[in-house]
Amino acid sequence: QVAAVAARDLGRAQDFAQRFGIPRAYGSYEELAEDPDLDVVYVGVVNPAHLPVGLLFLRRGRAVLMEKPMGLGACEVAQLVGTARERGVFLMEGFWTRFFPAWRRLRALVSEGTLGSPLVLRGALGFALGGVPRLREPGLGGGVLLDLGGYGLQMALALLGGGPPPSLQAHGVLHETGVDESVSVTLKFPGKGLAVLTFSMAAELPGGAAVGGPHGWAELPSHMNCPTELLFGGRRELFPLPPPSERLNFPHSTGLRYEAQHVRECLLQGLTESPEMPLAESEVIARLLDEARAQVGV
């Protein structure tokens, strides 16, 4: 149940609350942090505000689901993680991908050894996002790696695993504002695992990903960040989403319910971090994003 909403502008918060039947609206995040009836806060502010807003809620003892990227870099993520652990408060980075049934099916095929040892992951995610001005603004944490790159990196860590990759190489094209526009990242993992990932905020791409081993391969043919189908063993397995009750701004948005349900289950169990999206993994993703951005010249 959505109990309250906050924005920097009270009028915007009130409009949102009225549209969706939310009981309370606040014109500051400090007011929201003081609301005694909240179990968890979803933070979806612009990227540079993740750190200060996240710290505000964590220091008030509020459980936080932080939209990805958790911070603008590894230093910010370490501050958020350290504060959550120090205060004993739940914190999770919002990689909704990990809770889609299609993703869980793919991860099970890999972890059960159905494909043999996973050796190669290839994936691409690209959208023509010229209509999203913040992505072109360095001061707003723009660039394709912070916006889309984490999806591929979290997938590589989960499927090829065994620890952080000792080698990362990135090549990219920058937008005229200096942010990364299109980037290809290659990761070498312990045990011969190799991931080759491409991201673009200028070009449309199919958005699929596939992982292979000596005994076979499995593929998410599209929407690697929010998949609803899987190809394996010559069959197409479908994982339909519940129909939306509102007009959607982004494909498959009703799949956000899986992430929300997982957070609820964690809180009911008294956990301070998710076993499926642990904080240590968010820290690794942040370090990899830092390295990739540096290599392409951001």
Side-chain angles (χ1 to χ4, degrees):
Q1 178 183 359
V2 183
V5 61
R8 291 170 294 173
D9 176 79
L10 178 59
R12 292 177 60 218
Q14 290 173 332
D15 290 345
F16 190 90
Q18 182 176 16
R19 178 181 175 188
F20 295 106
I22 300 169
R24 295 182 296 286
Y26 298 112
S28 74
Y29 304 128
E30 289 80 4
E31 292 176 275
L32 184 67
E34 294 296 331
D35 190 317
D37 297 326
L38 303 182
D39 296 309
V40 58
V41 177
Y42 166 69
V43 177
V45 294
V46 292
N47 290 347
H50 286 193
L51 178 64
V53 175
L55 290 177
L56 167 69
F57 289 120
L58 292 171
R59 287 168 177 166
R60 302 291 175 87
R62 300 298 185 189
V64 171
L65 170 61
M66 177 68 73
E67 184 50 53
K68 59 83 199 161
M70 186 175 285
L72 286 181
C75 182
E76 291 193 1
V77 172
Q79 290 182 66
L80 289 163
V81 170
T83 301
R85 288 175 173 161
E86 176 186 324
R87 303 297 174 101
V89 179
F90 180 88
L91 172 65
M92 189 186 90
E93 187 172 14
F95 276 112
W96 64 330
T97 310
R98 291 218 170 171
F99 310 100
F100 274 72
W103 162 259
R104 285 180 159 166
R105 168 68 168 146
L106 174 62
R107 193 167 188 179
L109 288 172
V110 171
S111 62
E112 293 165 3
T114 306
L115 310 178
S117 179
L119 296 176
V120 177
L121 170 70
R122 60 130 173 100
L125 194 59
F127 303 96
L129 297 173
V132 187
R134 67 170 177 84
L135 292 177
R136 300 187 294 276
E137 294 294 332
L140 293 179
V144 71
L145 283 169
L146 287 177
D147 195 60
L148 300 179
Y151 289 121
L153 295 178
Q154 68 84 25
M155 183 172 289
L157 289 171
L159 298 180
L160 301 182
S167 173
L168 178 153
Q169 290 185 317
H171 300 276
V173 175
L174 301 184
H175 187 268
E176 59 188 19
T177 60
V179 301
D180 45 303
E181 185 175 79
S182 298
V183 181
S184 181
V185 180
T186 301
L187 305 161
K188 289 176 63 177
F189 283 81
K192 296 186 178 182
L194 181 71
V196 181
L197 307 164
T198 302
F199 311 102
S200 179
M201 64 182 196
E204 294 284 341
L205 294 170
V211 60
H215 299 158
W217 57 271
E219 179 178 6
L220 303 173
S222 63
H223 296 92
M224 64 183 281
N225 59 324
C226 51
T228 57
E229 56 183 334
L230 176 77
L231 304 180
F232 171 67
R235 300 187 306 275
R236 182 182 298 269
E237 302 178 20
L238 301 178
F239 302 84
L241 299 174
S245 58
E246 300 279 346
R247 181 182 64 85
L248 298 181
N249 292 314
F250 302 99
H252 302 174
S253 291
T254 51
L256 284 164
R257 68 177 55 211
Y258 302 125
E259 176 182 79
Q261 178 66 22
H262 175 75
V263 171
R264 178 177 185 271
E265 291 167 355
C266 288
L267 296 177
L268 290 174
Q269 296 174 45
L271 302 178
T272 56
E273 65 178 279
S274 163
E276 295 191 43
M277 189 61 232
L279 295 176
E281 203 154 333
S282 290
E283 291 188 280
V284 172
I285 292 169
R287 292 196 295 269
L288 295 174
L289 287 171
D290 280 356
E291 176 62 23
R293 294 173 78 215
Q295 287 190 21
V296 299
V298 176

